[in-house]
Amino acid sequence: MIENHHISDDRYLEFQQDRLDEEERIRFLMHISQCDYCSEKLAGFLEADMVSAPPDMKINILTASKKADVQFVKNAVEMTKRMQLFLYSLKVGAATIGAFIILLLFINGHDFSNVPKNIEVDIKKQSNTFSITNMIRESTNSLSDNLFNFSNEIIKMEDRNHDK
C-alpha cells in the first residue's frame, strides 16, 4: 500500500472505486489524515472525478425538459405572465378611458361661448385685463388636479383589493 511512505496511484484508484476491504480502507484513511502530501493527492483524484460530467447529461436534461409535465408547468407559468400583462393592460385602458371621460366632463362643464374672439391684451396691463392664457392655465391646472385625484383613488382601490 505505501511506497516510500506515500500511497500509490493504484491504491487511490482502488479507494475511489471502493475496492478496498474494511481494514485496508481504515489504514488508507489513517494515512491520509496524517500525511499532507497524500491527502492533497487524494483531493486531486476526487476533484478530477467530480468535475467530469456524464457524457449523456445534456441529452438527459433536454429529454427531461421536453416531458409533458415539465412543458405543462412551463406553459402555465407563461400563461400566468400573459394573464398578468392582459390585466395590467385592462387597468391602464380603463384609467385612460376614465381620464378622457373626466376631460370631456370638464370641457362640457365650461361655457366658452362668452370668450371674446378678438382679444387685445396690453402687455403692460395684463394683470388688469382678461387673459385667455390665464383661463387656459387655470383650466389645465384644474384638469391636472382632477386627474391626479382620480389616479390616486384608483391606486387606493387597487391597494385595498390587493390587501384582501
Side-chain angles (χ1 to χ4, degrees):
M1 175 167 153
I2 300 177
E3 296 174 0
N4 299 333
H5 301 290
H6 292 297
I7 299 173
S8 68
D9 289 348
D10 294 335
R11 283 301 209 190
Y12 286 112
L13 290 175
E14 289 173 358
F15 174 78
Q16 198 172 11
Q17 296 169 354
D18 202 24
R19 291 188 300 173
L20 297 176
D21 63 19
E22 189 173 339
E23 186 178 317
E24 290 174 328
R25 185 180 195 86
I26 290 172
R27 278 189 289 171
F28 180 88
L29 291 173
M30 285 186 67
H31 180 78
I32 291 293
S33 68
Q34 296 171 355
C35 180
D36 290 337
Y37 174 80
C38 291
S39 63
E40 287 179 20
K41 196 168 181 182
L42 175 65
F45 270 91
L46 294 177
E47 184 179 329
D49 186 47
M50 294 173 102
V51 172
S52 63
D56 60 344
M57 184 175 183
K58 181 178 179 181
I59 295 169
N60 291 342
I61 291 172
L62 290 174
T63 303
S65 69
K66 292 179 183 177
K67 288 184 179 177
D69 57 339
V70 174
Q71 290 297 319
F72 178 76
V73 171
K74 178 184 170 196
N75 291 338
V77 168
E78 187 176 320
M79 187 59 69
T80 302
K81 289 179 183 178
R82 285 183 188 169
M83 188 59 94
Q84 288 175 344
L85 178 63
F86 176 71
L87 291 175
Y88 179 75
S89 299
L90 283 177
K91 290 176 186 178
V92 169
T96 304
I97 290 171
F100 281 126
I101 290 172
I102 290 173
L103 180 64
L104 289 175
L105 292 175
F106 180 75
I107 289 175
N108 288 337
H110 287 287
D111 184 19
F112 294 106
S113 62
N114 59 357
V115 177
K117 298 194 188 232
N118 295 327
I119 299 175
E120 294 182 24
V121 177
D122 185 10
I123 296 176
K124 293 179 184 174
K125 298 180 181 178
Q126 186 175 5
S127 61
N128 295 336
T129 60
F130 176 75
S131 171
I132 188 84
T133 307
N134 286 337
M135 184 180 161
I136 292 173
R137 184 179 305 120
E138 289 174 10
S139 298
T140 305
N141 288 342
S142 176
L143 176 63
S144 177
D145 290 342
N146 287 337
L147 286 175
F148 180 74
N149 291 335
F150 180 71
S151 64
N152 280 342
E153 288 299 318
I154 290 175
I155 290 171
K156 287 177 186 176
M157 286 177 19
E158 285 297 317
D159 285 343
R160 281 183 254 153
N161 289 341
H162 181 68
D163 289 341
K164 292 180 182 180

mmCIF file of all heavy atoms in Angstrom, residues 43-80:
data_model
loop_
_atom_site.group_PDB
_atom_site.id
_atom_site.type_symbol
_atom_site.label_atom_id
_atom_site.label_comp_id
_atom_site.label_asym_id
_atom_site.label_seq_id
_atom_site.Cartn_x
_atom_site.Cartn_y
_atom_site.Cartn_z
ATOM 1 N N ALA A 43 -7.252 14.445 -2.817
ATOM 2 C CA ALA A 43 -8.167 15.530 -3.206
ATOM 3 C C ALA A 43 -8.109 15.766 -4.708
ATOM 4 O O ALA A 43 -9.133 15.999 -5.354
ATOM 5 C CB ALA A 43 -7.809 16.810 -2.445
ATOM 6 N N GLY A 44 -6.909 15.688 -5.282
ATOM 7 C CA GLY A 44 -6.778 15.837 -6.737
ATOM 8 C C GLY A 44 -7.490 14.732 -7.484
ATOM 9 O O GLY A 44 -8.170 14.981 -8.483
ATOM 10 N N PHE A 45 -7.359 13.485 -7.010
ATOM 11 C CA PHE A 45 -8.059 12.364 -7.645
ATOM 12 C C PHE A 45 -9.579 12.556 -7.555
ATOM 13 O O PHE A 45 -10.299 12.364 -8.541
ATOM 14 C CB PHE A 45 -7.670 11.036 -6.971
ATOM 15 C CG PHE A 45 -6.494 10.362 -7.588
ATOM 16 C CD1 PHE A 45 -5.208 10.606 -7.134
ATOM 17 C CD2 PHE A 45 -6.659 9.465 -8.636
ATOM 18 C CE1 PHE A 45 -4.114 9.980 -7.698
ATOM 19 C CE2 PHE A 45 -5.580 8.834 -9.206
ATOM 20 C CZ PHE A 45 -4.300 9.091 -8.739
ATOM 21 N N LEU A 46 -10.061 12.923 -6.382
ATOM 22 C CA LEU A 46 -11.508 13.086 -6.194
ATOM 23 C C LEU A 46 -12.042 14.286 -6.984
ATOM 24 O O LEU A 46 -13.129 14.226 -7.544
ATOM 25 C CB LEU A 46 -11.829 13.241 -4.708
ATOM 26 C CG LEU A 46 -11.543 12.017 -3.840
ATOM 27 C CD1 LEU A 46 -11.824 12.328 -2.381
ATOM 28 C CD2 LEU A 46 -12.342 10.816 -4.303
ATOM 29 N N GLU A 47 -11.259 15.337 -7.034
ATOM 30 C CA GLU A 47 -11.694 16.521 -7.775
ATOM 31 C C GLU A 47 -11.799 16.225 -9.264
ATOM 32 O O GLU A 47 -12.752 16.639 -9.927
ATOM 33 C CB GLU A 47 -10.718 17.667 -7.533
ATOM 34 C CG GLU A 47 -11.149 18.973 -8.190
ATOM 35 C CD GLU A 47 -10.178 20.095 -7.900
ATOM 36 O OE1 GLU A 47 -9.553 20.095 -6.832
ATOM 37 O OE2 GLU A 47 -10.040 20.970 -8.774
ATOM 38 N N ALA A 48 -10.840 15.513 -9.799
ATOM 39 C CA ALA A 48 -10.864 15.158 -11.221
ATOM 40 C C ALA A 48 -12.083 14.321 -11.539
ATOM 41 O O ALA A 48 -12.713 14.468 -12.588
ATOM 42 C CB ALA A 48 -9.581 14.417 -11.599
ATOM 43 N N ASP A 49 -12.444 13.440 -10.619
ATOM 44 C CA ASP A 49 -13.618 12.590 -10.828
ATOM 45 C C ASP A 49 -14.903 13.398 -10.705
ATOM 46 O O ASP A 49 -15.863 13.146 -11.423
ATOM 47 C CB ASP A 49 -13.617 11.445 -9.811
ATOM 48 C CG ASP A 49 -14.736 10.451 -10.079
ATOM 49 O OD1 ASP A 49 -14.893 10.064 -11.256
ATOM 50 O OD2 ASP A 49 -15.445 10.089 -9.127
ATOM 51 N N MET A 50 -14.940 14.377 -9.825
ATOM 52 C CA MET A 50 -16.159 15.142 -9.591
ATOM 53 C C MET A 50 -16.438 16.153 -10.692
ATOM 54 O O MET A 50 -17.583 16.451 -10.975
ATOM 55 C CB MET A 50 -16.066 15.869 -8.250
ATOM 56 C CG MET A 50 -16.027 14.943 -7.065
ATOM 57 S SD MET A 50 -15.709 15.859 -5.574
ATOM 58 C CE MET A 50 -17.347 15.913 -4.908
ATOM 59 N N VAL A 51 -15.427 16.666 -11.330
ATOM 60 C CA VAL A 51 -15.606 17.709 -12.321
ATOM 61 C C VAL A 51 -16.204 17.172 -13.612
ATOM 62 O O VAL A 51 -17.011 17.819 -14.257
ATOM 63 C CB VAL A 51 -14.260 18.431 -12.596
ATOM 64 C CG1 VAL A 51 -14.376 19.382 -13.753
ATOM 65 C CG2 VAL A 51 -13.797 19.150 -11.347
ATOM 66 N N SER A 52 -15.830 15.993 -13.981
ATOM 67 C CA SER A 52 -16.319 15.456 -15.256
ATOM 68 C C SER A 52 -17.789 15.063 -15.139
ATOM 69 O O SER A 52 -18.197 14.378 -14.219
ATOM 70 C CB SER A 52 -15.479 14.247 -15.680
ATOM 71 O OG SER A 52 -15.618 13.206 -14.739
ATOM 72 N N ALA A 53 -18.552 15.544 -16.069
ATOM 73 C CA ALA A 53 -19.983 15.239 -16.111
ATOM 74 C C ALA A 53 -20.207 14.037 -17.019
ATOM 75 O O ALA A 53 -19.415 13.771 -17.925
ATOM 76 C CB ALA A 53 -20.745 16.443 -16.640
ATOM 77 N N PRO A 54 -21.285 13.322 -16.788
ATOM 78 C CA PRO A 54 -21.580 12.194 -17.670
ATOM 79 C C PRO A 54 -21.762 12.675 -19.111
ATOM 80 O O PRO A 54 -22.300 13.759 -19.346
ATOM 81 C CB PRO A 54 -22.894 11.638 -17.123
ATOM 82 C CG PRO A 54 -23.028 12.190 -15.761
ATOM 83 C CD PRO A 54 -22.250 13.462 -15.721
ATOM 84 N N PRO A 55 -21.321 11.880 -20.074
ATOM 85 C CA PRO A 55 -21.399 12.338 -21.473
ATOM 86 C C PRO A 55 -22.833 12.529 -21.968
ATOM 87 O O PRO A 55 -23.071 13.342 -22.853
ATOM 88 C CB PRO A 55 -20.683 11.232 -22.262
ATOM 89 C CG PRO A 55 -20.592 10.061 -21.352
ATOM 90 C CD PRO A 55 -20.700 10.567 -19.949
ATOM 91 N N ASP A 56 -23.792 11.817 -21.399
ATOM 92 C CA ASP A 56 -25.169 11.940 -21.866
ATOM 93 C C ASP A 56 -26.004 12.891 -21.001
ATOM 94 O O ASP A 56 -27.218 12.925 -21.120
ATOM 95 C CB ASP A 56 -25.826 10.564 -21.914
ATOM 96 C CG ASP A 56 -25.844 9.888 -20.551
ATOM 97 O OD1 ASP A 56 -25.098 10.323 -19.653
ATOM 98 O OD2 ASP A 56 -26.610 8.924 -20.393
ATOM 99 N N MET A 57 -25.354 13.669 -20.160
ATOM 100 C CA MET A 57 -26.075 14.560 -19.256
ATOM 101 C C MET A 57 -26.899 15.602 -20.021
ATOM 102 O O MET A 57 -28.056 15.846 -19.692
ATOM 103 C CB MET A 57 -25.108 15.258 -18.311
ATOM 104 C CG MET A 57 -25.761 16.123 -17.273
ATOM 105 S SD MET A 57 -24.471 16.731 -16.172
ATOM 106 C CE MET A 57 -25.463 17.619 -15.019
ATOM 107 N N LYS A 58 -26.330 16.196 -21.049
ATOM 108 C CA LYS A 58 -27.040 17.210 -21.825
ATOM 109 C C LYS A 58 -28.284 16.613 -22.483
ATOM 110 O O LYS A 58 -29.364 17.200 -22.435
ATOM 111 C CB LYS A 58 -26.105 17.808 -22.882
ATOM 112 C CG LYS A 58 -26.736 18.889 -23.722
ATOM 113 C CD LYS A 58 -25.745 19.468 -24.710
ATOM 114 C CE LYS A 58 -26.382 20.537 -25.563
ATOM 115 N NZ LYS A 58 -25.450 21.099 -26.533
ATOM 116 N N ILE A 59 -28.130 15.447 -23.056
ATOM 117 C CA ILE A 59 -29.267 14.788 -23.715
ATOM 118 C C ILE A 59 -30.352 14.464 -22.696
ATOM 119 O O ILE A 59 -31.542 14.655 -22.956
ATOM 120 C CB ILE A 59 -28.782 13.517 -24.456
ATOM 121 C CG1 ILE A 59 -27.844 13.906 -25.595
ATOM 122 C CG2 ILE A 59 -29.961 12.708 -24.969
ATOM 123 C CD1 ILE A 59 -27.114 12.736 -26.227
ATOM 124 N N ASN A 60 -29.939 13.978 -21.516
ATOM 125 C CA ASN A 60 -30.916 13.651 -20.474
ATOM 126 C C ASN A 60 -31.682 14.885 -20.007
ATOM 127 O O ASN A 60 -32.900 14.827 -19.797
ATOM 128 C CB ASN A 60 -30.224 12.986 -19.277
ATOM 129 C CG ASN A 60 -29.715 11.603 -19.602
ATOM 130 O OD1 ASN A 60 -30.133 10.986 -20.573
ATOM 131 N ND2 ASN A 60 -28.788 11.125 -18.793
ATOM 132 N N ILE A 61 -30.992 15.988 -19.852
ATOM 133 C CA ILE A 61 -31.652 17.218 -19.416
ATOM 134 C C ILE A 61 -32.623 17.707 -20.487
ATOM 135 O O ILE A 61 -33.755 18.088 -20.187
ATOM 136 C CB ILE A 61 -30.616 18.304 -19.068
ATOM 137 C CG1 ILE A 61 -29.861 17.908 -17.803
ATOM 138 C CG2 ILE A 61 -31.280 19.662 -18.902
ATOM 139 C CD1 ILE A 61 -28.695 18.813 -17.468
ATOM 140 N N LEU A 62 -32.186 17.684 -21.731
ATOM 141 C CA LEU A 62 -33.070 18.128 -22.816
ATOM 142 C C LEU A 62 -34.285 17.217 -22.945
ATOM 143 O O LEU A 62 -35.409 17.685 -23.177
ATOM 144 C CB LEU A 62 -32.299 18.188 -24.132
ATOM 145 C CG LEU A 62 -31.250 19.298 -24.232
ATOM 146 C CD1 LEU A 62 -30.450 19.162 -25.528
ATOM 147 C CD2 LEU A 62 -31.898 20.661 -24.143
ATOM 148 N N THR A 63 -34.071 15.935 -22.791
ATOM 149 C CA THR A 63 -35.181 14.985 -22.865
ATOM 150 C C THR A 63 -36.160 15.225 -21.717
ATOM 151 O O THR A 63 -37.379 15.233 -21.917
ATOM 152 C CB THR A 63 -34.653 13.534 -22.817
ATOM 153 O OG1 THR A 63 -33.720 13.357 -23.889
ATOM 154 C CG2 THR A 63 -35.782 12.536 -22.961
ATOM 155 N N ALA A 64 -35.617 15.410 -20.519
ATOM 156 C CA ALA A 64 -36.477 15.646 -19.362
ATOM 157 C C ALA A 64 -37.254 16.953 -19.506
ATOM 158 O O ALA A 64 -38.407 17.046 -19.080
ATOM 159 C CB ALA A 64 -35.643 15.665 -18.081
ATOM 160 N N SER A 65 -36.636 17.963 -20.111
ATOM 161 C CA SER A 65 -37.321 19.248 -20.251
ATOM 162 C C SER A 65 -38.444 19.196 -21.290
ATOM 163 O O SER A 65 -39.314 20.051 -21.295
ATOM 164 C CB SER A 65 -36.332 20.348 -20.618
ATOM 165 O OG SER A 65 -35.840 20.156 -21.928
ATOM 166 N N LYS A 66 -38.426 18.192 -22.142
ATOM 167 C CA LYS A 66 -39.473 18.067 -23.160
ATOM 168 C C LYS A 66 -40.624 17.185 -22.711
ATOM 169 O O LYS A 66 -41.587 17.011 -23.451
ATOM 170 C CB LYS A 66 -38.869 17.520 -24.457
ATOM 171 C CG LYS A 66 -37.942 18.511 -25.113
ATOM 172 C CD LYS A 66 -37.335 17.960 -26.371
ATOM 173 C CE LYS A 66 -36.339 18.961 -26.956
ATOM 174 N NZ LYS A 66 -35.664 18.452 -28.128
ATOM 175 N N LYS A 67 -40.549 16.633 -21.503
ATOM 176 C CA LYS A 67 -41.639 15.786 -20.993
ATOM 177 C C LYS A 67 -42.886 16.623 -20.799
ATOM 178 O O LYS A 67 -42.832 17.835 -20.594
ATOM 179 C CB LYS A 67 -41.228 15.139 -19.678
ATOM 180 C CG LYS A 67 -40.186 14.052 -19.861
ATOM 181 C CD LYS A 67 -39.888 13.374 -18.544
ATOM 182 C CE LYS A 67 -38.867 12.268 -18.747
ATOM 183 N NZ LYS A 67 -38.496 11.625 -17.496
ATOM 184 N N ALA A 68 -44.026 15.956 -20.827
ATOM 185 C CA ALA A 68 -45.317 16.637 -20.775
ATOM 186 C C ALA A 68 -45.510 17.419 -19.488
ATOM 187 O O ALA A 68 -45.999 18.560 -19.514
ATOM 188 C CB ALA A 68 -46.445 15.625 -20.944
ATOM 189 N N ASP A 69 -45.115 16.867 -18.348
ATOM 190 C CA ASP A 69 -45.345 17.570 -17.091
ATOM 191 C C ASP A 69 -44.495 18.834 -16.981
ATOM 192 O O ASP A 69 -44.944 19.862 -16.481
ATOM 193 C CB ASP A 69 -45.108 16.661 -15.886
ATOM 194 C CG ASP A 69 -43.708 16.051 -15.864
ATOM 195 O OD1 ASP A 69 -43.060 15.988 -16.928
ATOM 196 O OD2 ASP A 69 -43.260 15.636 -14.779
ATOM 197 N N VAL A 70 -43.275 18.789 -17.492
ATOM 198 C CA VAL A 70 -42.411 19.972 -17.468
ATOM 199 C C VAL A 70 -42.961 21.022 -18.428
ATOM 200 O O VAL A 70 -43.001 22.217 -18.108
ATOM 201 C CB VAL A 70 -40.956 19.594 -17.826
ATOM 202 C CG1 VAL A 70 -40.087 20.825 -17.950
ATOM 203 C CG2 VAL A 70 -40.388 18.630 -16.805
ATOM 204 N N GLN A 71 -43.398 20.610 -19.597
ATOM 205 C CA GLN A 71 -43.976 21.536 -20.557
ATOM 206 C C GLN A 71 -45.261 22.158 -20.014
ATOM 207 O O GLN A 71 -45.546 23.333 -20.244
ATOM 208 C CB GLN A 71 -44.253 20.831 -21.895
ATOM 209 C CG GLN A 71 -43.002 20.463 -22.656
ATOM 210 C CD GLN A 71 -42.195 21.691 -23.055
ATOM 211 O OE1 GLN A 71 -42.735 22.698 -23.470
ATOM 212 N NE2 GLN A 71 -40.887 21.592 -22.893
ATOM 213 N N PHE A 72 -46.053 21.364 -19.276
ATOM 214 C CA PHE A 72 -47.283 21.886 -18.688
ATOM 215 C C PHE A 72 -46.974 23.009 -17.701
ATOM 216 O O PHE A 72 -47.604 24.063 -17.729
ATOM 217 C CB PHE A 72 -48.052 20.754 -17.990
ATOM 218 C CG PHE A 72 -49.299 21.223 -17.316
ATOM 219 C CD1 PHE A 72 -50.430 21.530 -18.052
ATOM 220 C CD2 PHE A 72 -49.333 21.373 -15.936
ATOM 221 C CE1 PHE A 72 -51.577 21.972 -17.426
ATOM 222 C CE2 PHE A 72 -50.472 21.814 -15.302
ATOM 223 C CZ PHE A 72 -51.603 22.114 -16.046
ATOM 224 N N VAL A 73 -45.983 22.785 -16.841
ATOM 225 C CA VAL A 73 -45.602 23.806 -15.863
ATOM 226 C C VAL A 73 -45.066 25.042 -16.579
ATOM 227 O O VAL A 73 -45.404 26.176 -16.231
ATOM 228 C CB VAL A 73 -44.564 23.248 -14.859
ATOM 229 C CG1 VAL A 73 -44.000 24.348 -13.991
ATOM 230 C CG2 VAL A 73 -45.177 22.151 -14.015
ATOM 231 N N LYS A 74 -44.242 24.829 -17.595
ATOM 232 C CA LYS A 74 -43.683 25.953 -18.351
ATOM 233 C C LYS A 74 -44.801 26.763 -18.999
ATOM 234 O O LYS A 74 -44.805 27.997 -18.943
ATOM 235 C CB LYS A 74 -42.727 25.424 -19.416
ATOM 236 C CG LYS A 74 -42.129 26.501 -20.287
ATOM 237 C CD LYS A 74 -41.272 25.909 -21.381
ATOM 238 C CE LYS A 74 -40.875 26.964 -22.384
ATOM 239 N NZ LYS A 74 -40.374 26.392 -23.614
ATOM 240 N N ASN A 75 -45.765 26.080 -19.617
ATOM 241 C CA ASN A 75 -46.879 26.772 -20.262
ATOM 242 C C ASN A 75 -47.757 27.487 -19.236
ATOM 243 O O ASN A 75 -48.272 28.579 -19.512
ATOM 244 C CB ASN A 75 -47.705 25.797 -21.090
ATOM 245 C CG ASN A 75 -46.955 25.306 -22.313
ATOM 246 O OD1 ASN A 75 -46.022 25.959 -22.777
ATOM 247 N ND2 ASN A 75 -47.325 24.150 -22.815
ATOM 248 N N ALA A 76 -47.929 26.883 -18.068
ATOM 249 C CA ALA A 76 -48.741 27.513 -17.021
ATOM 250 C C ALA A 76 -48.086 28.811 -16.547
ATOM 251 O O ALA A 76 -48.760 29.829 -16.353
ATOM 252 C CB ALA A 76 -48.938 26.555 -15.856
ATOM 253 N N VAL A 77 -46.778 28.782 -16.368
ATOM 254 C CA VAL A 77 -46.055 29.989 -15.944
ATOM 255 C C VAL A 77 -46.157 31.057 -17.025
ATOM 256 O O VAL A 77 -46.400 32.233 -16.741
ATOM 257 C CB VAL A 77 -44.582 29.651 -15.622
ATOM 258 C CG1 VAL A 77 -43.756 30.911 -15.470
ATOM 259 C CG2 VAL A 77 -44.489 28.797 -14.372
ATOM 260 N N GLU A 78 -45.986 30.655 -18.270
ATOM 261 C CA GLU A 78 -46.072 31.617 -19.379
ATOM 262 C C GLU A 78 -47.477 32.199 -19.475
ATOM 263 O O GLU A 78 -47.640 33.399 -19.686
ATOM 264 C CB GLU A 78 -45.694 30.923 -20.683
ATOM 265 C CG GLU A 78 -45.583 31.865 -21.860
ATOM 266 C CD GLU A 78 -45.113 31.164 -23.114
ATOM 267 O OE1 GLU A 78 -44.225 30.299 -23.009
ATOM 268 O OE2 GLU A 78 -45.648 31.480 -24.193
ATOM 269 N N MET A 79 -48.502 31.350 -19.286
ATOM 270 C CA MET A 79 -49.888 31.815 -19.344
ATOM 271 C C MET A 79 -50.168 32.781 -18.194
ATOM 272 O O MET A 79 -50.864 33.785 -18.375
ATOM 273 C CB MET A 79 -50.854 30.630 -19.287
ATOM 274 C CG MET A 79 -52.296 31.020 -19.505
ATOM 275 S SD MET A 79 -52.617 31.834 -21.093
ATOM 276 C CE MET A 79 -52.372 30.486 -22.208
ATOM 277 N N THR A 80 -49.614 32.519 -17.016
ATOM 278 C CA THR A 80 -49.795 33.415 -15.880
ATOM 279 C C THR A 80 -49.198 34.778 -16.189
ATOM 280 O O THR A 80 -49.809 35.807 -15.894
ATOM 281 C CB THR A 80 -49.140 32.808 -14.622
ATOM 282 O OG1 THR A 80 -49.719 31.532 -14.378
ATOM 283 C CG2 THR A 80 -49.329 33.688 -13.420
#
